[in-house]
């Protein structure tokens, strides 16, 4: 579907299954300091990582309808699971310029890997979709790609245990799979994993570079806005509005853990 020409001073939409996507927002705020954002966290339906593609696509469509109504100039699918299983369908339905997090991390990794062996970690649904491997192939990278699901990372991080011995133990168990693959690049294919980056790096060989989707999609979005002459030109300072479908327990705690500051300006959007 052809995308519409975005309007310069409109906000950028970002969505995730919940609050994990705030790690992506944090990167985008840094890379695009003049832009404003609408963050949508589907906190009533989190996690997406254990759900079927059909369900994740349906939830994502509701969120895209919301952004369409709010006339955002672009939408970033911060959620790796939604990027992996829903991006293509959403692209066919909506005219808003849409950015997934799989493509930019794959492009970035192709540029930096020397061994041409790349690892990917993510939720069960993301890894099962094979979206990363398919994208490496589609781009003709010639890379060997090893994908490993790490479903326990999300609950560990939400529990606040990202830097504990338990986290290290579990990381060692999952990441053992990469032992004989000679990878030099590991894509953190889940919104939550940047919070656990120190532990992950600790158990891996030091030369393995971790790839953060907030950074890779941020670089791509910045380029796009520049090429389209669509960078925000107003003098107002950066603003962020948050929309969530539920206020679950630990909402404030989780929000500030992912964003590094408290969430203000939060509106509850009842589920349709
Ligand atoms: N946001 C999800 C992702 O990046 C992780 C949490 C979930 O399973 O919903 O895949």
């Amino acid at each position: 579907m052809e995308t519409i020409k975005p309007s310069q001073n409109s906000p950028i939409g970002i969505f995730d299954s919940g609050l994990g996507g705030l790690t992506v927002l944090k990167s985008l705020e840094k890379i695009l300091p003049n832009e404003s954002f609408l963050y949508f966290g589907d906190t009533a339906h989190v996690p997406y990582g254990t759900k079927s593609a059909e369900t994740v696509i349906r939830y994502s469509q509701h969120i895209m309808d919301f952004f369409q109504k709010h006339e955002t100039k672009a939408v970033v699918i911060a959620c790796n699971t939604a990027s992996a299983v829903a991006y293509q369908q959403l692209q066919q339905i909506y005219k808003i310029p849409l950015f997934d997090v799989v493509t930019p991390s794959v492009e970035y990794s192709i540029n930096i890997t020397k061994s041409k062996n790349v690892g990917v970690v993510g939720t069960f649904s993301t890894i099962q979709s094979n979206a990363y491997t398919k994208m490496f192939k589609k781009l003709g990278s010639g890379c060997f790609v090893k994908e490993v699901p790490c479903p326990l990372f999300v609950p560990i991080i939400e529990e606040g245990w990202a830097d504990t011995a338990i986290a290290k133990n579990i990381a060692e168990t999952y990441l053992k799979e990469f032992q004989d693959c000679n990878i030099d690049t590991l894509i953190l294919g889940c919104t939550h994993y940047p919070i656990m980056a120190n532990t992950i790096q600790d158990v891996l060989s030091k030369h393995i570079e971790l790839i953060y989707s907030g950074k890779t999609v941020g670089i791509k979005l910045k380029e796009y806005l520049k090429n389209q002459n669509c960078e925000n030109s107003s003098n107002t300072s950066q603003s962020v509005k948050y929309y969530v479908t539920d206020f679950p327990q630990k909402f404030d705690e989780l929000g500030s853990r992912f964003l590094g500051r408290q969430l203000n300006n939060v509106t509850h959007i009842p589920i349709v």
Side-chain angles (χ1 to χ4, degrees), residues 19 157-158 249-259:
L19 300 176
I157 290 162
E158 296 207 347
Q249 286 173 15
K250 290 191 172 182
F251 179 85
D252 291 328
E253 192 189 317
L254 275 182
S256 42
R257 188 173 306 145
F258 290 125
L259 192 60

Side-chain angles (χ1 to χ4, degrees), residues 6-14 25 28-38 72-74 218 221-226 229-241 261:
S7 131
Q8 232 175 340
N9 296 335
S10 303
I12 294 165
I14 302 185
L25 171 67
L28 295 184
E29 284 179 332
K30 258 197 219 143
I31 297 170
L32 299 162
N34 297 323
E35 302 295 337
S36 288
F37 300 94
L38 303 187
T72 55
K73 67 177 172 185
L221 180 56
K222 186 177 174 148
E223 233 174 69
Y224 171 83
L225 295 176
K226 196 168 174 222
N229 239 335
C230 243
E231 291 159 306
N232 193 325
S233 61
S234 66
N235 285 327
T236 50
S237 54
Q238 187 174 62
S239 79
V240 188
K241 287 184 186 149
R261 62 171 194 267

Side-chain angles (χ1 to χ4, degrees), residues 15 56-57 60 75 77 79-94 96-104 135 138 220:
F15 82 84
V56 174
I57 291 168
S60 303
V75 171
I77 310 175
C79 181
N80 267 267
T81 305
S83 288
V85 306
Y87 173 56
Q88 279 171 7
Q89 277 88 339
L90 298 178
Q91 248 188 334
Q92 281 163 22
I93 303 170
Y94 298 92
I96 310 173
L98 190 56
F99 292 80
D100 69 316
V101 287
V102 172
T103 316
M135 186 52 68
K138 189 175 166 192
K220 187 155 183 168

Side-chain angles (χ1 to χ4, degrees), residues 110 113-118 140-145 182-185:
I110 292 172
T113 178
K114 293 201 171 66
S115 69
K116 290 218 157 214
N117 293 324
V118 178
S141 69
C143 290
F144 165 79
V145 185
N182 189 29
I183 60 164
D184 62 359
T185 308

